[in-house]
Amino acid sequence: MSQHEGILLESGTNELEIVEFEMGQNRYGINVIKVKEIIMPTPITPIPHSHPAIEGIIQLRGDVLPVISMERVMGLPETIGKKEGKYIVAAFNKQQVVFHVHEVTQIHRVSWNQIEKPADLYSGDAAQVIGVIKRNDDMLLLLDFEKIVLEINPDSGIRVEEVKKLGKRERVDKRILVAEDSPLLRKLLNDTLTEAGYANIDFFENGKDALAYLESVIAGGKNVGDVIQLVITDIEMPQMDGHHFTRRIRENHQLAMLPVIIFSSLITDELKHKGISVGANDQVSKPEIAELVLKMDQHIL
């Protein structure tokens, strides 16, 4: 598999395509939108004193990219050498990284409503699994690659310092709805948006729950604009993704006036057309929290 533009799905269908890869006896998945290409391992240059999960760096078409050992990330015995396995070259959060895996097998097209949230027993803030896809007698685990990279390089995440540069602000009369499946990201967003003056926030774990809440406001006879002034949504979420969530808002005449900002690691110049096609007012790439706050100001102040 090389460039994958030809298989990108229509926006807002609540479907995604998953690149399946193997680590040991288990099968895992990464959203095909994150995958630039899959290649055979190339010579690595080790980096002294780097994070233990970093094998080194490679040069690929003029770019210098870090190589992350998924064996080390997942605490598995190191059974493959640096010249074995496969490289998944990925791009998200405005960065490129390489994941060294045992094998890449196939691509699956699934609906987000087929992806179950991990049980609390094995999830939580420390978990790397963000979704479970049941396939016959087997399971495919979706991993939180943003969290994996964030643990290796904390500076790549949302930073409250960026918001503090905006100065003292008061926005408490504005109520924000946020759809974000990651517990870590919900906490970071809560901290940073509160610092930005937006302390009145309702968080939902996916678009399905967020949409159900908005529809309940309408069913209660209220004008939704009097209750919620702005919606912020991630894209990748179990049950209902952010593109489908945005489309459903726009298709409901009682919700359609709500400003929607997509805040996702998948926002790139090549993929912004997806958010535009479903009616998003703005799109901001994680981790650009200060840019998100300024867009919020534009839409609801």
mmCIF file of all heavy atoms in Angstrom, residues 144-189:
data_model
loop_
_atom_site.group_PDB
_atom_site.id
_atom_site.type_symbol
_atom_site.label_atom_id
_atom_site.label_comp_id
_atom_site.label_asym_id
_atom_site.label_seq_id
_atom_site.Cartn_x
_atom_site.Cartn_y
_atom_site.Cartn_z
ATOM 1 N N ASP A 144 -4.807 4.497 20.452
ATOM 2 C CA ASP A 144 -4.760 5.955 20.559
ATOM 3 C C ASP A 144 -3.346 6.415 20.204
ATOM 4 O O ASP A 144 -2.486 6.563 21.069
ATOM 5 C CB ASP A 144 -5.134 6.385 21.984
ATOM 6 C CG ASP A 144 -5.325 7.883 22.099
ATOM 7 O OD1 ASP A 144 -4.874 8.613 21.203
ATOM 8 O OD2 ASP A 144 -5.919 8.327 23.099
ATOM 9 N N PHE A 145 -3.110 6.621 18.909
ATOM 10 C CA PHE A 145 -1.767 6.962 18.456
ATOM 11 C C PHE A 145 -1.358 8.364 18.894
ATOM 12 O O PHE A 145 -0.176 8.629 19.121
ATOM 13 C CB PHE A 145 -1.675 6.815 16.936
ATOM 14 C CG PHE A 145 -1.706 5.381 16.495
ATOM 15 C CD1 PHE A 145 -2.901 4.767 16.150
ATOM 16 C CD2 PHE A 145 -0.547 4.626 16.456
ATOM 17 C CE1 PHE A 145 -2.942 3.437 15.771
ATOM 18 C CE2 PHE A 145 -0.570 3.299 16.072
ATOM 19 C CZ PHE A 145 -1.770 2.704 15.734
ATOM 20 N N GLU A 146 -2.337 9.270 19.021
ATOM 21 C CA GLU A 146 -2.013 10.594 19.529
ATOM 22 C C GLU A 146 -1.458 10.505 20.954
ATOM 23 O O GLU A 146 -0.486 11.193 21.295
ATOM 24 C CB GLU A 146 -3.247 11.498 19.504
ATOM 25 C CG GLU A 146 -3.658 11.955 18.124
ATOM 26 C CD GLU A 146 -4.587 10.977 17.433
ATOM 27 O OE1 GLU A 146 -4.705 9.823 17.918
ATOM 28 O OE2 GLU A 146 -5.188 11.350 16.404
ATOM 29 N N LYS A 147 -2.053 9.667 21.776
ATOM 30 C CA LYS A 147 -1.597 9.510 23.155
ATOM 31 C C LYS A 147 -0.214 8.863 23.205
ATOM 32 O O LYS A 147 0.630 9.235 24.028
ATOM 33 C CB LYS A 147 -2.609 8.670 23.946
ATOM 34 C CG LYS A 147 -2.331 8.591 25.443
ATOM 35 C CD LYS A 147 -3.495 7.914 26.148
ATOM 36 C CE LYS A 147 -3.339 7.992 27.660
ATOM 37 N NZ LYS A 147 -2.215 7.190 28.146
ATOM 38 N N ILE A 148 0.017 7.898 22.322
ATOM 39 C CA ILE A 148 1.326 7.252 22.260
ATOM 40 C C ILE A 148 2.412 8.279 21.960
ATOM 41 O O ILE A 148 3.459 8.332 22.616
ATOM 42 C CB ILE A 148 1.318 6.139 21.191
ATOM 43 C CG1 ILE A 148 0.449 4.962 21.667
ATOM 44 C CG2 ILE A 148 2.735 5.667 20.873
ATOM 45 C CD1 ILE A 148 0.162 3.927 20.598
ATOM 46 N N VAL A 149 2.167 9.131 20.959
ATOM 47 C CA VAL A 149 3.152 10.158 20.598
ATOM 48 C C VAL A 149 3.280 11.193 21.706
ATOM 49 O O VAL A 149 4.386 11.664 22.013
ATOM 50 C CB VAL A 149 2.771 10.816 19.260
ATOM 51 C CG1 VAL A 149 3.664 12.024 18.975
ATOM 52 C CG2 VAL A 149 2.860 9.796 18.125
ATOM 53 N N LEU A 150 2.153 11.548 22.340
ATOM 54 C CA LEU A 150 2.178 12.551 23.405
ATOM 55 C C LEU A 150 3.024 12.080 24.594
ATOM 56 O O LEU A 150 3.753 12.879 25.196
ATOM 57 C CB LEU A 150 0.754 12.859 23.863
ATOM 58 C CG LEU A 150 0.580 13.934 24.938
ATOM 59 C CD1 LEU A 150 1.094 15.280 24.448
ATOM 60 C CD2 LEU A 150 -0.878 14.039 25.356
ATOM 61 N N GLU A 151 2.950 10.799 24.914
ATOM 62 C CA GLU A 151 3.739 10.277 26.029
ATOM 63 C C GLU A 151 5.224 10.284 25.705
ATOM 64 O O GLU A 151 6.060 10.439 26.592
ATOM 65 C CB GLU A 151 3.268 8.864 26.386
ATOM 66 C CG GLU A 151 1.887 8.854 27.043
ATOM 67 C CD GLU A 151 1.360 7.455 27.289
ATOM 68 O OE1 GLU A 151 1.955 6.488 26.738
ATOM 69 O OE2 GLU A 151 0.370 7.325 28.025
ATOM 70 N N ILE A 152 5.557 10.135 24.429
ATOM 71 C CA ILE A 152 6.955 10.185 24.011
ATOM 72 C C ILE A 152 7.449 11.620 23.935
ATOM 73 O O ILE A 152 8.572 11.942 24.333
ATOM 74 C CB ILE A 152 7.128 9.476 22.646
ATOM 75 C CG1 ILE A 152 6.816 7.977 22.803
ATOM 76 C CG2 ILE A 152 8.527 9.682 22.088
ATOM 77 C CD1 ILE A 152 6.750 7.231 21.485
ATOM 78 N N ASN A 153 6.581 12.507 23.443
ATOM 79 C CA ASN A 153 6.941 13.925 23.284
ATOM 80 C C ASN A 153 5.828 14.809 23.847
ATOM 81 O O ASN A 153 4.943 15.238 23.108
ATOM 82 C CB ASN A 153 7.184 14.251 21.806
ATOM 83 C CG ASN A 153 7.513 15.714 21.581
ATOM 84 O OD1 ASN A 153 7.938 16.418 22.502
ATOM 85 N ND2 ASN A 153 7.315 16.187 20.364
ATOM 86 N N PRO A 154 5.849 15.090 25.161
ATOM 87 C CA PRO A 154 4.776 15.880 25.784
ATOM 88 C C PRO A 154 4.578 17.254 25.160
ATOM 89 O O PRO A 154 3.469 17.790 25.199
ATOM 90 C CB PRO A 154 5.238 15.995 27.239
ATOM 91 C CG PRO A 154 6.130 14.814 27.454
ATOM 92 C CD PRO A 154 6.825 14.602 26.144
ATOM 93 N N ASP A 155 5.614 17.821 24.554
ATOM 94 C CA ASP A 155 5.481 19.149 23.947
ATOM 95 C C ASP A 155 4.591 19.148 22.710
ATOM 96 O O ASP A 155 4.233 20.214 22.205
ATOM 97 C CB ASP A 155 6.864 19.700 23.572
ATOM 98 C CG ASP A 155 7.672 20.118 24.796
ATOM 99 O OD1 ASP A 155 7.058 20.322 25.863
ATOM 100 O OD2 ASP A 155 8.907 20.223 24.691
ATOM 101 N N SER A 156 4.232 17.962 22.213
ATOM 102 C CA SER A 156 3.397 17.890 21.013
ATOM 103 C C SER A 156 1.912 18.016 21.326
ATOM 104 O O SER A 156 1.094 18.039 20.427
ATOM 105 C CB SER A 156 3.637 16.556 20.283
ATOM 106 O OG SER A 156 3.171 15.463 21.063
ATOM 107 N N GLY A 157 1.544 18.119 22.612
ATOM 108 C CA GLY A 157 0.144 18.152 23.003
ATOM 109 C C GLY A 157 -0.389 19.549 23.253
ATOM 110 O O GLY A 157 0.292 20.561 23.043
ATOM 111 N N ILE A 158 -1.641 19.602 23.710
ATOM 112 C CA ILE A 158 -2.292 20.871 24.051
ATOM 113 C C ILE A 158 -1.602 21.468 25.266
ATOM 114 O O ILE A 158 -1.388 20.794 26.268
ATOM 115 C CB ILE A 158 -3.784 20.632 24.335
ATOM 116 C CG1 ILE A 158 -4.509 20.248 23.041
ATOM 117 C CG2 ILE A 158 -4.431 21.865 24.962
ATOM 118 C CD1 ILE A 158 -5.946 19.834 23.247
ATOM 119 N N ARG A 159 -1.279 22.734 25.198
ATOM 120 C CA ARG A 159 -0.526 23.388 26.270
ATOM 121 C C ARG A 159 -1.284 24.616 26.757
ATOM 122 O O ARG A 159 -1.577 25.521 25.976
ATOM 123 C CB ARG A 159 0.872 23.771 25.779
ATOM 124 C CG ARG A 159 1.673 22.577 25.273
ATOM 125 C CD ARG A 159 2.926 22.989 24.560
ATOM 126 N NE ARG A 159 3.890 23.588 25.464
ATOM 127 C CZ ARG A 159 5.025 24.152 25.072
ATOM 128 N NH1 ARG A 159 5.314 24.224 23.790
ATOM 129 N NH2 ARG A 159 5.853 24.671 25.958
ATOM 130 N N VAL A 160 -1.577 24.637 28.050
ATOM 131 C CA VAL A 160 -2.331 25.750 28.625
ATOM 132 C C VAL A 160 -1.548 27.052 28.532
ATOM 133 O O VAL A 160 -2.130 28.142 28.518
ATOM 134 C CB VAL A 160 -2.722 25.429 30.086
ATOM 135 C CG1 VAL A 160 -1.504 25.441 30.996
ATOM 136 C CG2 VAL A 160 -3.798 26.382 30.583
ATOM 137 N N GLU A 161 -0.216 26.952 28.431
ATOM 138 C CA GLU A 161 0.609 28.170 28.326
ATOM 139 C C GLU A 161 0.236 28.989 27.099
ATOM 140 O O GLU A 161 0.321 30.224 27.114
ATOM 141 C CB GLU A 161 2.100 27.799 28.264
ATOM 142 C CG GLU A 161 2.666 27.206 29.534
ATOM 143 C CD GLU A 161 2.349 25.729 29.680
ATOM 144 O OE1 GLU A 161 1.826 25.130 28.698
ATOM 145 O OE2 GLU A 161 2.595 25.174 30.767
ATOM 146 N N GLU A 162 -0.172 28.307 26.025
ATOM 147 C CA GLU A 162 -0.553 29.025 24.803
ATOM 148 C C GLU A 162 -1.784 29.891 25.031
ATOM 149 O O GLU A 162 -1.928 30.972 24.452
ATOM 150 C CB GLU A 162 -0.818 28.017 23.676
ATOM 151 C CG GLU A 162 0.407 27.225 23.244
ATOM 152 C CD GLU A 162 1.514 28.120 22.723
ATOM 153 O OE1 GLU A 162 1.210 29.023 21.915
ATOM 154 O OE2 GLU A 162 2.668 27.943 23.141
ATOM 155 N N VAL A 163 -2.690 29.433 25.888
ATOM 156 C CA VAL A 163 -3.905 30.188 26.174
ATOM 157 C C VAL A 163 -3.605 31.340 27.123
ATOM 158 O O VAL A 163 -4.173 32.428 27.004
ATOM 159 C CB VAL A 163 -4.982 29.254 26.754
ATOM 160 C CG1 VAL A 163 -6.186 30.059 27.233
ATOM 161 C CG2 VAL A 163 -5.416 28.245 25.704
ATOM 162 N N LYS A 164 -2.704 31.115 28.065
ATOM 163 C CA LYS A 164 -2.364 32.178 29.020
ATOM 164 C C LYS A 164 -1.811 33.409 28.319
ATOM 165 O O LYS A 164 -1.958 34.529 28.801
ATOM 166 C CB LYS A 164 -1.359 31.650 30.045
ATOM 167 C CG LYS A 164 -1.960 30.655 31.035
ATOM 168 C CD LYS A 164 -0.927 30.187 32.052
ATOM 169 C CE LYS A 164 -1.566 29.240 33.064
ATOM 170 N NZ LYS A 164 -0.575 28.724 34.043
ATOM 171 N N LYS A 165 -1.185 33.199 27.158
ATOM 172 C CA LYS A 165 -0.644 34.328 26.404
ATOM 173 C C LYS A 165 -1.747 35.265 25.910
ATOM 174 O O LYS A 165 -1.487 36.415 25.570
ATOM 175 C CB LYS A 165 0.159 33.822 25.205
ATOM 176 C CG LYS A 165 1.429 33.056 25.579
ATOM 177 C CD LYS A 165 2.110 32.521 24.327
ATOM 178 C CE LYS A 165 3.328 31.686 24.671
ATOM 179 N NZ LYS A 165 3.949 31.093 23.456
ATOM 180 N N LEU A 166 -2.988 34.762 25.850
ATOM 181 C CA LEU A 166 -4.101 35.585 25.375
ATOM 182 C C LEU A 166 -4.572 36.588 26.422
ATOM 183 O O LEU A 166 -5.362 37.475 26.121
ATOM 184 C CB LEU A 166 -5.279 34.689 24.964
ATOM 185 C CG LEU A 166 -4.997 33.695 23.839
ATOM 186 C CD1 LEU A 166 -6.207 32.798 23.605
ATOM 187 C CD2 LEU A 166 -4.617 34.416 22.552
ATOM 188 N N GLY A 167 -4.116 36.425 27.685
ATOM 189 C CA GLY A 167 -4.486 37.363 28.739
ATOM 190 C C GLY A 167 -5.755 36.960 29.463
ATOM 191 O O GLY A 167 -6.414 35.982 29.133
ATOM 192 N N LYS A 168 -6.110 37.761 30.482
ATOM 193 C CA LYS A 168 -7.278 37.473 31.312
ATOM 194 C C LYS A 168 -8.554 37.634 30.501
ATOM 195 O O LYS A 168 -8.736 38.610 29.785
ATOM 196 C CB LYS A 168 -7.307 38.434 32.516
ATOM 197 C CG LYS A 168 -8.362 38.081 33.556
ATOM 198 C CD LYS A 168 -8.039 36.766 34.242
ATOM 199 C CE LYS A 168 -9.070 36.455 35.326
ATOM 200 N NZ LYS A 168 -8.842 35.114 35.917
ATOM 201 N N ARG A 169 -9.465 36.662 30.621
ATOM 202 C CA ARG A 169 -10.660 36.668 29.800
ATOM 203 C C ARG A 169 -11.852 36.192 30.619
ATOM 204 O O ARG A 169 -11.723 35.364 31.502
ATOM 205 C CB ARG A 169 -10.468 35.726 28.603
ATOM 206 C CG ARG A 169 -9.231 36.040 27.775
ATOM 207 C CD ARG A 169 -8.691 34.794 27.102
ATOM 208 N NE ARG A 169 -9.705 34.131 26.322
ATOM 209 C CZ ARG A 169 -10.036 34.489 25.079
ATOM 210 N NH1 ARG A 169 -9.430 35.485 24.489
ATOM 211 N NH2 ARG A 169 -10.971 33.850 24.423
ATOM 212 N N GLU A 170 -13.031 36.701 30.297
ATOM 213 C CA GLU A 170 -14.269 36.263 30.942
ATOM 214 C C GLU A 170 -15.282 35.883 29.866
ATOM 215 O O GLU A 170 -15.707 36.719 29.074
ATOM 216 C CB GLU A 170 -14.844 37.374 31.835
ATOM 217 C CG GLU A 170 -13.995 37.682 33.067
ATOM 218 C CD GLU A 170 -13.938 36.531 34.046
ATOM 219 O OE1 GLU A 170 -14.843 35.675 34.035
ATOM 220 O OE2 GLU A 170 -12.970 36.476 34.831
ATOM 221 N N ARG A 171 -15.646 34.623 29.824
ATOM 222 C CA ARG A 171 -16.597 34.137 28.823
ATOM 223 C C ARG A 171 -17.646 33.228 29.472
ATOM 224 O O ARG A 171 -18.218 32.371 28.835
ATOM 225 C CB ARG A 171 -15.868 33.321 27.736
ATOM 226 C CG ARG A 171 -14.683 34.028 27.079
ATOM 227 C CD ARG A 171 -15.156 35.104 26.116
ATOM 228 N NE ARG A 171 -14.073 35.627 25.302
ATOM 229 C CZ ARG A 171 -13.318 36.663 25.629
ATOM 230 N NH1 ARG A 171 -13.521 37.283 26.781
ATOM 231 N NH2 ARG A 171 -12.364 37.085 24.817
ATOM 232 N N VAL A 172 -17.853 33.390 30.790
ATOM 233 C CA VAL A 172 -18.625 32.403 31.551
ATOM 234 C C VAL A 172 -20.085 32.305 31.124
ATOM 235 O O VAL A 172 -20.749 31.316 31.396
ATOM 236 C CB VAL A 172 -18.558 32.699 33.070
ATOM 237 C CG1 VAL A 172 -17.166 32.439 33.583
ATOM 238 C CG2 VAL A 172 -18.976 34.137 33.357
ATOM 239 N N ASP A 173 -20.616 33.330 30.447
ATOM 240 C CA ASP A 173 -22.024 33.277 30.061
ATOM 241 C C ASP A 173 -22.247 32.435 28.812
ATOM 242 O O ASP A 173 -23.390 32.177 28.427
ATOM 243 C CB ASP A 173 -22.550 34.699 29.826
ATOM 244 C CG ASP A 173 -21.804 35.418 28.704
ATOM 245 O OD1 ASP A 173 -20.577 35.202 28.594
ATOM 246 O OD2 ASP A 173 -22.434 36.176 27.965
ATOM 247 N N LYS A 174 -21.162 31.976 28.185
ATOM 248 C CA LYS A 174 -21.275 31.184 26.967
ATOM 249 C C LYS A 174 -21.141 29.701 27.309
ATOM 250 O O LYS A 174 -20.186 29.286 27.955
ATOM 251 C CB LYS A 174 -20.186 31.579 25.960
ATOM 252 C CG LYS A 174 -20.179 33.060 25.609
ATOM 253 C CD LYS A 174 -21.491 33.510 24.970
ATOM 254 C CE LYS A 174 -21.442 34.989 24.592
ATOM 255 N NZ LYS A 174 -22.712 35.457 24.005
ATOM 256 N N ARG A 175 -22.122 28.908 26.851
ATOM 257 C CA ARG A 175 -22.111 27.478 27.153
ATOM 258 C C ARG A 175 -21.665 26.700 25.916
ATOM 259 O O ARG A 175 -22.212 26.891 24.831
ATOM 260 C CB ARG A 175 -23.499 27.025 27.603
ATOM 261 C CG ARG A 175 -23.532 25.613 28.171
ATOM 262 C CD ARG A 175 -24.902 25.319 28.729
ATOM 263 N NE ARG A 175 -25.030 23.938 29.193
ATOM 264 C CZ ARG A 175 -26.178 23.349 29.455
ATOM 265 N NH1 ARG A 175 -27.311 24.015 29.301
ATOM 266 N NH2 ARG A 175 -26.216 22.101 29.867
ATOM 267 N N ILE A 176 -20.683 25.830 26.101
ATOM 268 C CA ILE A 176 -20.051 25.108 25.008
ATOM 269 C C ILE A 176 -20.345 23.619 25.136
ATOM 270 O O ILE A 176 -20.283 23.058 26.222
ATOM 271 C CB ILE A 176 -18.515 25.308 25.027
ATOM 272 C CG1 ILE A 176 -18.143 26.780 25.224
ATOM 273 C CG2 ILE A 176 -17.882 24.734 23.766
ATOM 274 C CD1 ILE A 176 -18.611 27.687 24.131
ATOM 275 N N LEU A 177 -20.662 22.971 24.011
ATOM 276 C CA LEU A 177 -20.791 21.515 23.969
ATOM 277 C C LEU A 177 -19.557 20.961 23.265
ATOM 278 O O LEU A 177 -19.214 21.405 22.164
ATOM 279 C CB LEU A 177 -22.060 21.110 23.230
ATOM 280 C CG LEU A 177 -22.371 19.609 23.131
ATOM 281 C CD1 LEU A 177 -23.873 19.380 23.050
ATOM 282 C CD2 LEU A 177 -21.685 18.964 21.912
ATOM 283 N N VAL A 178 -18.894 20.000 23.902
ATOM 284 C CA VAL A 178 -17.686 19.395 23.334
ATOM 285 C C VAL A 178 -17.886 17.886 23.203
ATOM 286 O O VAL A 178 -18.233 17.218 24.175
ATOM 287 C CB VAL A 178 -16.446 19.671 24.200
ATOM 288 C CG1 VAL A 178 -15.217 18.956 23.621
ATOM 289 C CG2 VAL A 178 -16.177 21.165 24.305
ATOM 290 N N ALA A 179 -17.666 17.355 22.003
ATOM 291 C CA ALA A 179 -17.683 15.911 21.770
ATOM 292 C C ALA A 179 -16.246 15.450 21.561
ATOM 293 O O ALA A 179 -15.606 15.824 20.574
ATOM 294 C CB ALA A 179 -18.539 15.563 20.550
ATOM 295 N N GLU A 180 -15.741 14.664 22.501
ATOM 296 C CA GLU A 180 -14.340 14.207 22.481
ATOM 297 C C GLU A 180 -14.269 12.887 23.233
ATOM 298 O O GLU A 180 -14.646 12.807 24.394
ATOM 299 C CB GLU A 180 -13.428 15.258 23.124
ATOM 300 C CG GLU A 180 -12.015 14.813 23.423
ATOM 301 C CD GLU A 180 -11.237 14.409 22.190
ATOM 302 O OE1 GLU A 180 -11.003 15.263 21.314
ATOM 303 O OE2 GLU A 180 -10.875 13.214 22.100
ATOM 304 N N ASP A 181 -13.767 11.842 22.577
ATOM 305 C CA ASP A 181 -13.787 10.516 23.209
ATOM 306 C C ASP A 181 -12.625 10.261 24.156
ATOM 307 O O ASP A 181 -12.711 9.412 25.039
ATOM 308 C CB ASP A 181 -13.814 9.420 22.141
ATOM 309 C CG ASP A 181 -12.535 9.373 21.317
ATOM 310 O OD1 ASP A 181 -12.081 10.432 20.860
ATOM 311 O OD2 ASP A 181 -11.986 8.273 21.132
ATOM 312 N N SER A 182 -11.534 10.986 24.021
ATOM 313 C CA SER A 182 -10.354 10.726 24.851
ATOM 314 C C SER A 182 -10.488 11.374 26.225
ATOM 315 O O SER A 182 -10.633 12.602 26.320
ATOM 316 C CB SER A 182 -9.096 11.265 24.157
ATOM 317 O OG SER A 182 -8.013 11.324 25.056
ATOM 318 N N PRO A 183 -10.415 10.586 27.318
ATOM 319 C CA PRO A 183 -10.444 11.176 28.669
ATOM 320 C C PRO A 183 -9.311 12.179 28.874
ATOM 321 O O PRO A 183 -9.506 13.230 29.497
ATOM 322 C CB PRO A 183 -10.291 9.967 29.593
ATOM 323 C CG PRO A 183 -10.738 8.805 28.791
ATOM 324 C CD PRO A 183 -10.350 9.117 27.377
ATOM 325 N N LEU A 184 -8.138 11.875 28.342
ATOM 326 C CA LEU A 184 -7.001 12.783 28.475
ATOM 327 C C LEU A 184 -7.289 14.112 27.799
ATOM 328 O O LEU A 184 -7.057 15.184 28.371
ATOM 329 C CB LEU A 184 -5.749 12.133 27.873
ATOM 330 C CG LEU A 184 -4.495 13.011 27.815
ATOM 331 C CD1 LEU A 184 -4.011 13.342 29.216
ATOM 332 C CD2 LEU A 184 -3.399 12.320 27.009
ATOM 333 N N LEU A 185 -7.831 14.050 26.582
ATOM 334 C CA LEU A 185 -8.124 15.285 25.841
ATOM 335 C C LEU A 185 -9.259 16.061 26.480
ATOM 336 O O LEU A 185 -9.266 17.301 26.469
ATOM 337 C CB LEU A 185 -8.448 14.968 24.383
ATOM 338 C CG LEU A 185 -7.293 15.083 23.383
ATOM 339 C CD1 LEU A 185 -6.840 16.519 23.255
ATOM 340 C CD2 LEU A 185 -6.124 14.193 23.765
ATOM 341 N N ARG A 186 -10.249 15.359 27.039
ATOM 342 C CA ARG A 186 -11.338 16.074 27.720
ATOM 343 C C ARG A 186 -10.795 16.873 28.900
ATOM 344 O O ARG A 186 -11.196 18.028 29.110
ATOM 345 C CB ARG A 186 -12.409 15.086 28.191
ATOM 346 C CG ARG A 186 -13.257 14.525 27.069
ATOM 347 C CD ARG A 186 -14.556 13.921 27.581
ATOM 348 N NE ARG A 186 -14.345 12.792 28.463
ATOM 349 C CZ ARG A 186 -14.250 11.527 28.068
ATOM 350 N NH1 ARG A 186 -14.322 11.240 26.772
ATOM 351 N NH2 ARG A 186 -14.085 10.557 28.939
ATOM 352 N N LYS A 187 -9.882 16.284 29.648
ATOM 353 C CA LYS A 187 -9.304 17.012 30.786
ATOM 354 C C LYS A 187 -8.472 18.200 30.311
ATOM 355 O O LYS A 187 -8.575 19.307 30.852
ATOM 356 C CB LYS A 187 -8.429 16.080 31.627
ATOM 357 C CG LYS A 187 -7.850 16.765 32.867
ATOM 358 C CD LYS A 187 -6.997 15.834 33.688
ATOM 359 C CE LYS A 187 -6.560 16.504 34.993
ATOM 360 N NZ LYS A 187 -5.904 17.817 34.781
ATOM 361 N N LEU A 188 -7.654 17.988 29.278
ATOM 362 C CA LEU A 188 -6.832 19.082 28.763
ATOM 363 C C LEU A 188 -7.694 20.209 28.203
ATOM 364 O O LEU A 188 -7.412 21.394 28.421
ATOM 365 C CB LEU A 188 -5.888 18.558 27.677
ATOM 366 C CG LEU A 188 -4.698 17.719 28.149
ATOM 367 C CD1 LEU A 188 -3.982 17.090 26.963
ATOM 368 C CD2 LEU A 188 -3.727 18.566 28.965
ATOM 369 N N LEU A 189 -8.767 19.842 27.485
ATOM 370 C CA LEU A 189 -9.661 20.863 26.949
ATOM 371 C C LEU A 189 -10.375 21.609 28.069
ATOM 372 O O LEU A 189 -10.541 22.832 28.003
ATOM 373 C CB LEU A 189 -10.680 20.222 26.009
ATOM 374 C CG LEU A 189 -10.199 19.949 24.588
ATOM 375 C CD1 LEU A 189 -11.210 19.107 23.834
ATOM 376 C CD2 LEU A 189 -9.921 21.243 23.835
#
